[in-house]
């Protein structure tokens, strides 16, 4: 059974139709990436899955259960975690408090502690800044906090929206290494990325979204070699 | 109509325009930027790179008066800009875009640009109320200039749409247009390519060059996309922890060990 | 919604008052007094065979609303006469409208002299500040139990009534040889008077004059006693309400206020009114209700004797009022359309006011 | 199509002057029409409501310059109104006493008394705008609710100070012969309010001033000034970075808004059946106007005007409900807020809702055409 | 000297009351970033509910409802207090649910206007005869009338400074509530969650924080605080103004000013502000003139904000550009 199974999903903002009946599946243990141009509806897809938007039609099954009508906090409590575009960190809280909120729905204090140490190991930079107000961090630092925080929820499915946005090359590499590591540790990942080159490198499978529709899908390596994709998204080389 | 836009006659190509010496600021204990030096010639196209949190955006904030520098000096065309308020800096000729887009979301695209353009005119309240002929001419010229600028990025057809209805990539472009409308001599671009896919980035690089040539502005560019930076920048300054660790041509910078260690990482060509 | 133009077999009169907002209790009391008078007169066959109907409009205690309410009464509802308001500021806003349109207006309880100066259509049934101020001052200077030479004043600076009374008291008291040792102010509804009272305490007065409404006086008395201020307190007709005794209890023992009448007055016109009012509303009428009742009744009397129901005739008849036996005293109108009537002084004893003396005008 | 093609279309100066002046002339003609037609057809009560609505519109439209356009949150607008009212009132009252020996109305329509009144209203506007400047200063340092509470404090301070003023001196002889020290008590009536002000306010003056206010506000909104104000509302930092002197814009907004509020106050002071009193400066009155601007929609001038009419009329419509009046009013207010959170017209003006064909009158370009 | 001490003592008691009301304002503001103008009406509700309960409960133990000879047993006083708290939080819950929640995504100014509407509604409903009525009432004493008179001077010039029990209770209760709130907001997971909600409800929901419930809870807590303030207020000032009296609004306003002076959203700031406002008011009225009480308060407010635009303890939020 697929971990996440989306059937014929449509979403609108007022009169603007952002998604026009998309279907996609994420199997346990996979990294699936969603690529597409500006305004294609990638973020909208993630927001709908995590309950921030409600679909007009279609259904979303997570672990076989429908979640489309659930509220975002209930979905997060099911360990379907969304790191939104723009990072979604709490600027008025310290880095440490931000991280702790990641584990808001968990009660297993001891293991939280372990995960906390683990997350800080992944991002030593964050560790230096634990007491700083998160709002004063630089963009890259904020992205690290956002991912570290998501890990503290021990997600079954982690949805990342443009994690490399505004990050230095080195950090981008780091983030993608972390994505691999997390995945190797058993976490399923749904990745939205503008940096299609990198995304297709780490992902197992990929979907291409254009103006609210799935245009193409398949194993990531296959898509990376498709001429159309290269021309449209990878800079033509 | 291009006279409106070609407002600055080309000076000697390598004349120093922006001169920054030993600029520095710290927040609490954190030395965000220290001893930052920069000499930007007119119509130069320089890059400012460095790891996240290195202080790049802070340099922009210092240059534009949003933060007041604690040390150092800053001058444009020999005119001291230290202590100037942000709007005075803009009036003096430095314009910028923001890393986190800051358009006027509920204003139309046209108004976003006109607003920036009006810094160069001095309207009177009375003539505004009476709508005198002078006022009408001023407004017409302003609009014409704005529409011409919008054409650069093909946005003229959407002039009446609200800025918030643009997609992310278009918003980034509008920010650049808006900055240009202030008729700057120095343009500061903070990560203009963020959120664009590789294909779009190529187009953007093209546009940046064209802007430099057509408007003869000097451009200082913050960008994490190395391909773009190395491609279009004449010189590059690398910051790390608020300190300049390297400055030079793309080749020098690319091969500098400190830069590789601090910023580029091992598989730099991956990006 | 009532009919626009009065039908021929009824007489419509208007009342504008604060029946919502901060001063609602004043407007409601007055309205009840008026209603009572109307029921009474209608039960007795109406005025010259015509039933009287009342239209009440709320003015929220806001002068601007008072203006529009009265304009509506006078020009749209075409009332024969207007009753209202308690607060002088509001009466002053409305009076010119009545004057201009030739509709008689009787204010039940606006004590500022200016109100009736607006013109010959404007009357009142309460006494005015100068009279009451001098009555209080005289009492404070001359009463055996007080014989004060030093007085302190605590005045509600938001209420023209209070400010006016304070000025007149001060004038009369200093003219009588006394001195004002402390002048303090509060705002209607204030809960905490300790700063003012502490200040007053330090000035060591022999009497404290509190020209305010009962709604605040009870509180002031309670706090004054807590602070160990034992001197008598003195006030005007704004004190008159059963609520005052309920709130202050024995804190007001030995304090006095001037009023239009005494509840103890055995005369049937007073006792009858109190009985009727209690029967209808299950509470003891306060001074405002009594004044509202009197205002309405004076109006009916004038209507009955007037040759026609035109504003002019009624006003002329009102001006002739002499010896009208009202609950709030025997009323005669003077040349300035102010009632000439005696004041009574009441003493608070364990929460009930007791008759002490009557002071007639000019005494 | 390039923008320049349309714009260089030659228009003669004469046509332009006519275009500029026409709305003002039309407004004043309308005011004359209202003055001479309305009272005779609907009677004094409804005329009065129309006057009240007119004044409310002046106040709300002017407040909209600060709250709606510039995005500064002011709840002290009634304070400006009151300053204007007291200034204008004292000018006409005491000058009348000095000149004509009585404070009664002098002269008929457009007579000498009325001109004195007009000048007094303008003076009211000027003193109010000075106050606007002073109250606007904190806006340079304060944001949002902090500014709101300061403007509210200004109104409350004014209210208390006005309560302490002296009695009105209504005797011409005393006024003529009095030494200046008599005026040290500021004889404007204290708690009871300022009564005796001659009642010059007529439908004509209210609607003439309203026309000017609205045209000013509208032209301001569509001009460089207006855009600059809007940009302050949208994003102050970005506005600064675009070269907008945000401090200047904020002060300008406060000053102009206060000016019109002051003029509105002057009109109010001279309205018959109105006594201006310290209470007018309090925050409750300011709320009324804030409610109008919010209900009208942020920055929509016609929306705000409609809201001003609705909200000033509603309590009158409900008058027959006596004690339930305010309850119903409050319930309706909540209902309107919940059902139209963006305000009556949102950011649009009323004509944005007309069918397209209405707008493309021969002499008018559609917004899109104009833009291109 | 005695007068000085007396003024000081009153200032402390009144400051505590302001602080208590300010805490509620600050709490709601801290989370939802809007001035809940209906907060003062919950104080009024608390006050009048206390009265209504008291006059019904007192006869049960054989006391005169309006003028009890002795205070009722302590359990009854406590019972009334708890009942008032519960009903006030229920009212807060309902108001939020019905009037504010539908506007969660609307501009804050709209919520503010709605709050003004709610406030008007509550006031005028409260004033109806079959609710609380439009006349003032006297709150029966629910606590022993103990006071500690401190004597100054001798013979003729003898003076007392009075320290009533109720003042001590008010002081203690606001102190405790402040501490409890501070701990709740800064030391518990729920508090962190609340602060997250106050920053961005969407992001908070993505953390699994039940946003609606958190906001409801904030309102209930804030309203309970208001209820407590209303209860204590009428015990201290037993002569109660009618529910629609504008003075209640002014009381709420001053408490809000206190919150702003201290730095709105800041719990310690609310308490500090409460005391500062009360001190200025009391000492100004005593030493300068009682005519200008409100002028002192608002001038101080303006002065403080001009010097420190985010209030005394408010942290200057420097927006990162
Ligand atoms: N809040 C909103 N209101 C109205 N329209 C919106 C809103 N958010 C997104 N849209 C529209 O929905 C469409 C899809 O947007 P979405 O943010 O999902 O794109 P995206 O694929 O994430 O693009 P990007 O790469 O630029 O982030 C776009 O046309 C956009 O204009
Ligand atoms: N207002 C502020 N208060 C405190 N610290 C700040 C503030 N602004 C910036 N900083 C700190 O200064 C450092 C430099 O920040 P800056 O935003 O300039 O980084 P950057 O080089 O632009 O990074 P990025 O590439 O991620 O945008 C960071 O560590 C940041 O936390
Ligand atoms: Mg996106
Ligand atoms: Mg940056």
């Amino acid at each position: 059974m697929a971990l996440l199974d989306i059937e014929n999903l449509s979403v609108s903002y007022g009169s603007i139709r952002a998604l026009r009946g998309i279907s996609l599946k994420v199997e346990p243990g996979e990294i699936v990436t969603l690529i597409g141009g500006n305004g294609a509806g990638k973020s909208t897809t993630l927001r709908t899955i995590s309950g921030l938007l409600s679909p007009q039609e279609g259904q979303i099954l997570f672990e076989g259960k429908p979640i489309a009508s659930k509220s975002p906090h209930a979905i997060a409590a099911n360990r379907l975690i969304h790191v939104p575009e723009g990072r979604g960190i709490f600027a008025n809280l310290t880095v440490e408090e931000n991280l702790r909120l990641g584990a808001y729905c968990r009660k297993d204090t001891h293991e939280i502690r372990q995960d906390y140490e683990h997350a800080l190991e992944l991002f030593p930079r964050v560790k230096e800044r634990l007491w700083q107000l998160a709002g004063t961090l630089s963009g890259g630092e904020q992205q690290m906090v956002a991912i570290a925080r998501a890990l503290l929820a021990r997600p079954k499915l982690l949805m990342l929206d443009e994690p490399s946005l505004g990050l230095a090359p080195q950090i981008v590499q780091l983030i993608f290494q972390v994505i691999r590591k997390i995945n190797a540790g058993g976490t399923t990942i749904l990745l939205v990325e503008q940096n299609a080159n990198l995304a297709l490198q780490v992902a197992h499978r990929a979907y291409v979204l254009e103006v609210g529709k799935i245009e193409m899908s398949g194993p990531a390596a296959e898509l990376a070699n498709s001429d159309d994709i290269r021309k449209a998204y990878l800079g033509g080389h | 109509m291009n006279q409106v836009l070609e407002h600055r006659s080309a000076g000697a190509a390598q004349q120093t325009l922006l001169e920054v010496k030993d600029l520095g600021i710290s927040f609490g204990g954190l030395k965000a930027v220290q001893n930052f030096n920069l000499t930007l010639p007119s119509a130069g196209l320089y890059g400012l790179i460095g790891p996240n949190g290195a202080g790049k955006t802070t340099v922009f904030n210092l240059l534009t008066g949003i933060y007041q520098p604690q040390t150092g000096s800053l001058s444009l065309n020999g005119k001291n800009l230290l202590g100037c308020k942000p709007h005075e800096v803009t009036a003096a000729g430095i314009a910028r875009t923001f890393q986190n887009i800051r358009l006027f979301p509920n204003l139309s695209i046209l108004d976003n640009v006109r607003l920036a353009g009006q810094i160069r005119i001095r309207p009177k309240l009375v003539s505004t109320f009476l709508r005198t002929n002078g006022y009408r001419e001023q407004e017409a010229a302003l609009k014409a200039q704005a529409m011409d600028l919008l054409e650069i990025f093909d946005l003229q057809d959407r002039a009446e749409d609200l800025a918030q209805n643009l997609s992310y990539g278009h918003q980034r472009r509008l920010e650049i247009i808006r900055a240009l409308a202030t008729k700057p001599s120095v343009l500061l671009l903070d990560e203009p390519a963020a959120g664009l896919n590789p294909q779009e980035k190529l187009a953007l690089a093209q546009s940046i060059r064209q802007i430099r040539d057509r408007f003869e502005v000097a451009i200082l560019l913050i960008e994490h996309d190395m391909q773009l930076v190395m491609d279009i920048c004449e010189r590059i300054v690398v910051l790390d922890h608020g300190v300049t660790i390297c400055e030079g041509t793309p080749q020098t910078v690319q091969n500098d060990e400190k830069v590789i260690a601090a910023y580029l990482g091992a598989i730099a060509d991956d990006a | 919604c009532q009919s626009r133009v009065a039908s021929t077999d009824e007489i419509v009169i208007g009342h504008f008052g604060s029946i919502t907002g901060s001063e609602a209790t004043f407007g409601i009391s007055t309205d009840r007094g008026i209603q009572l008078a109307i029921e009474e007169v209608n039960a007795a066959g109406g005025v010259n065979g015509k039933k009287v109907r009342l239209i009440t409009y709320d003015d929220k205690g806001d002068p601007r609303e008072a203006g529009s309410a009265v304009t509506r009464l006078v020009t749209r509802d075409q009332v024969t006469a207007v009753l209202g308001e308690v607060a002088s500021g509001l009466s002053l806003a409305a009076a010119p409208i009545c004057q201009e349109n030739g509709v008689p207006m009787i204010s039940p309880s606006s004590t500022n002299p200016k109100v009736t100066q607006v013109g010959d259509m404007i009357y009142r049934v309460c006494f005015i500040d100068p009279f009451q101020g001098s009555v209080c001052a005289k009492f404070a200077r001359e009463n055996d139990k007080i014989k004060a030479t030093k007085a302190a004043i605590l005045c509600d600076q938001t209420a023209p009534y209070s400010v006016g009374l304070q000025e007149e008291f001060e004038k009369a008291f200093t003219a009588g040889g006394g001195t004002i040792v402390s002048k303090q102010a509060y705002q209607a509804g204030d809960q905490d008077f300790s700063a003012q009272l502490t200040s007053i305490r330090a000035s060591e007065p022999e009497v404290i004059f509190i020209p305010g409404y009962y709604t605040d006086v009870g509180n002031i008395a309670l706090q004054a006693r807590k602070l160990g201020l034992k001197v008598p307190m003195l006030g005007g007709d704004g004190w008159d309400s059963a609520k005052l005794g309920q709130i202050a209890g024995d804190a007001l023992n030995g304090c006095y206020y001037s009023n239009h009448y005494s509840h103890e007055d055995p005369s049937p016109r007073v006792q009858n009114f109190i009985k009727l009012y209690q029967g209808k509303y299950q509470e003891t009428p306060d001074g405002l209700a009594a004044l509202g009742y009197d205002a309405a009744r004076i109006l009916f009397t004038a209507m009955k004797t007037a040759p026609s129901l035109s504003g002019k005739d009624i006003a002329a008849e009102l001006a002739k009022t002499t010896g009208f036996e009202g609950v709030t005293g025997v009323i005669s109108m003077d040349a300035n359309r102010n009632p000439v009537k005696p004041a009574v002084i009441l003493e608070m004893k364990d929460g009930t006011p007791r008759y002490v003396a009557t002071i007639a005008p000019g005494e | 199509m390039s923008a320049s093609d349309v714009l260089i279309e030659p228009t003669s100066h004469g046509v332009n002057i006519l275009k500029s002046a026409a709305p003002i002339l039309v407004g004043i003609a309308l005011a004359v029409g209202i003055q001479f037609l309305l009272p005779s057809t609907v009677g004094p009560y409804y005329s009065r409501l129309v006057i009240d609505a007119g004044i409310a519109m002046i106040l709300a439209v002017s407040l909209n310059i600060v709250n709606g356009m510039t995005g500064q949150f002011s709840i002290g607008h009634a304070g400006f109104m009151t300053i204007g009212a007291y200034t204008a009132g004292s000018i006409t009252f005491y000058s009348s006493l000095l000149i004509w020996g009585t404070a009664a109305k002098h002269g008929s329509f457009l007579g000498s008394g009325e001109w004195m009144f007009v000048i007094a209203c303008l003076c009211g506007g000027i003193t109010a705008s000075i106050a606007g400047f002073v109250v606007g200063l904190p806006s340079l340092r304060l944001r949002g609710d902090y500014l709101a509470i300061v403007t509210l404090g200004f109104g409350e301070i004014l209210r208390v100070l006005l309560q302490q003023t002296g009695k009105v001196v209504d005797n011409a002889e005393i006024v003529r012969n009095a030494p200046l020290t008599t005026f040290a008590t500021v004889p404007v009536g204290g708690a009871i309010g300022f009564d005796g002000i001659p009642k010059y306010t007529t439908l004509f003056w209210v609607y003439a001033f309203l026309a000017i206010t609205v045209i000013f506000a509208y032209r301001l909104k569509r001009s460089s000034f207006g855009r600059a104000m809007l940009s302050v509302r949208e994003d102050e930092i970005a506005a600064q970075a675009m070269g907008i002197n945000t401090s200047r814009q904020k002060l300008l907004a406060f000053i102009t808004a206060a000016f019109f509020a002051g003029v509105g106050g002057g009109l109010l002071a001279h309205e018959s059946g109105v006594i201006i009193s310290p209470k007018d400066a309090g925050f409750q009155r300011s709320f009324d106007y804030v409610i109008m601007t919010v209900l009208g929609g942020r920055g929509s001038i016609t929306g705000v005007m409609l809201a001003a009419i609705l909200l000033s009329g509603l309590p009158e419509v409900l008058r027959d409900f006596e004690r339930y009046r305010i309850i119903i009013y409050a319930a309706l207010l909540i209902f309107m807020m919940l059902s139209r959170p963006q305000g009556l017209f949102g950011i649009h003006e009323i004509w944005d809702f007309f069918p397209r064909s209405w707008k493309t009158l021969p002499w008018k370009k559609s917004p899109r055409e104009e833009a291109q | 000297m005695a007068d000085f001490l007396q003024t000081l003592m009153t200032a402390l008691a009144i400051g505590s009351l302001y602080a208590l009301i300010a805490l509620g304002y600050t709490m709601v503001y801290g989370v939802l970033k809007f001035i809940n103008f209906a907060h003062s009406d919950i104080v009024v509700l608390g006050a009048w509910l206390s009265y209504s309960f008291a006059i019904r409960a007192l006869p049960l133990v054989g006391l005169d409802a309006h003028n009890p000879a002795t205070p009722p047993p302590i359990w009854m006083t406590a019972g009334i207090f708890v009942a008032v708290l519960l009903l006030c939080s229920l009212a807060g819950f309902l108001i939020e649910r019905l009037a504010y929640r539908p506007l969660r995504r609307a501009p804050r100014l709209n919520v503010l206007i709605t709050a003004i509407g709610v406030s008007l509604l509550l006031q005028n409903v409260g004033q109806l005869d079959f609710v609380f009525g439009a006349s003032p009432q006297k709150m029966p004493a629910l606590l022993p009338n103990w006071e500690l008179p401190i004597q100054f001077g001798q013979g003729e010039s003898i003076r007392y400074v009075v320290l009533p029990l109720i003042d001590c209770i008010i002081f203690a209760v606001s102190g405790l509530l402040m501490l409890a709130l501070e701990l709740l907001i800064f030391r518990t997971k729920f508090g962190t969650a609340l602060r997250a909600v106050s920053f961005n409800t969407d992001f908070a929901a993505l953390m699994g924080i039940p946003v609606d419930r958190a906001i409801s809870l904030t309102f209930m807590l804030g309203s309970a605080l208001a209820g407590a303030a209303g209860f204590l207020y009428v015990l201290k000032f037993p002569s109660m103004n009618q529910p629609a009296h504008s003075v209640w609004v002014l009381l709420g306003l001053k408490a809000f000013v206190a919150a702003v002076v201290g730095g709105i959203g800041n719990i310690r700031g609310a308490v500090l502000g409460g005391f500062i406002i009360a001190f200025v008011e009391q000492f100004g009225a005593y030493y300068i003139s009682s005519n200008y009480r409100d002028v002192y308060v608002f001038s101080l407010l303006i002065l403080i904000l001009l010097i420190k635009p985010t209030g005394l303890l408010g942290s200057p939020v420097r927006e990162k550009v």
Side-chain angles (χ1 to χ4, degrees), chain C residues 251-313:
Chain C
L252 273 176
N253 277 351
C255 296
Y256 303 86
Y257 67 97
S258 68
N259 197 17
H260 305 269
Y261 73 111
S262 158
H263 297 245
E264 293 173 317
D265 187 336
S267 70
R269 61 188 152 90
V270 173
Q271 291 312 320
N272 203 19
F273 167 69
I274 294 176
K275 209 174 77 208
L276 274 175
Y277 193 94
Q278 277 173 334
K280 184 151 192 233
Y281 301 111
Q282 286 82 45
E283 62 178 32
T284 318
D286 56 19
L288 298 170
L291 288 166
Y293 179 77
D294 273 358
R297 285 192 48 229
I298 281 204
L299 178 66
F300 300 150
T301 314
M303 282 175 175
K304 279 178 190 158
T305 50
S308 82
L309 286 183
S310 75
K312 238 196 199 150
D313 287 343

Side-chain angles (χ1 to χ4, degrees), chain A residues 129 132 136 139-140, chain B residues 27 52-58 67 99 224, chain E residues 320:
Chain A
R129 305 274 168 142
Q132 193 171 341
T136 59
Chain B
F27 301 108
N52 293 114
K56 305 179 296 295
T57 301
T58 307
Y67 295 159
Q99 181 173 3
H224 286 304
Chain E
K320 186 173 183 301

Side-chain angles (χ1 to χ4, degrees), chain A residues 169-225:
Chain A
Q170 209 188 21
I171 309 288
V172 176
Q173 289 159 29
L174 176 72
I175 298 276
F176 275 84
Q177 277 165 15
V178 171
I179 290 173
R180 277 208 185 90
K181 263 196 221 165
I182 300 169
N183 181 247
T187 307
T188 314
I189 291 171
L190 177 56
L191 175 68
V192 164
E193 206 18 273
Q194 278 293 3
N195 195 333
N197 291 316
L198 271 179
L200 291 176
Q201 276 179 25
V202 296
H204 303 115
R205 288 191 306 119
Y207 290 85
V208 179
L209 199 60
E210 258 335 310
V211 273
K213 287 211 177 94
I214 303 271
E215 286 288 303
M216 222 186 278
S217 63
E222 234 170 70
L223 287 182
N225 291 324

Side-chain angles (χ1 to χ4, degrees), chain A residues 84-94 97-98 101 133-136 142 149, chain B residues 100, chain E residues 27-33 104-105 108 191-205 207 209 211 214-215 317-320:
Chain A
E85 201 174 21
R87 296 149 192 149
I89 56 133
F90 300 105
N92 60 335
L93 304 186
T94 62
E97 285 169 328
N98 264 283
L101 277 180
L133 278 187
T136 59
Q142 291 184 358
R149 185 180 65 184
Chain B
N100 303 313
Chain E
M27 177 143 182
V28 170
Y29 189 95
V31 174
L32 289 177
K33 296 284 178 292
R104 188 71 48 80
R105 287 181 191 276
R108 288 187 307 128
T192 316
L194 267 190
R195 284 183 290 144
V197 168
S198 87
F199 182 73
N200 185 316
T201 47
D202 275 353
F203 297 167
M207 299 292 103
I209 299 167
V211 172
I215 290 177
V317 269
R318 186 117 152 248
E319 199 178 353
K320 186 173 183 301

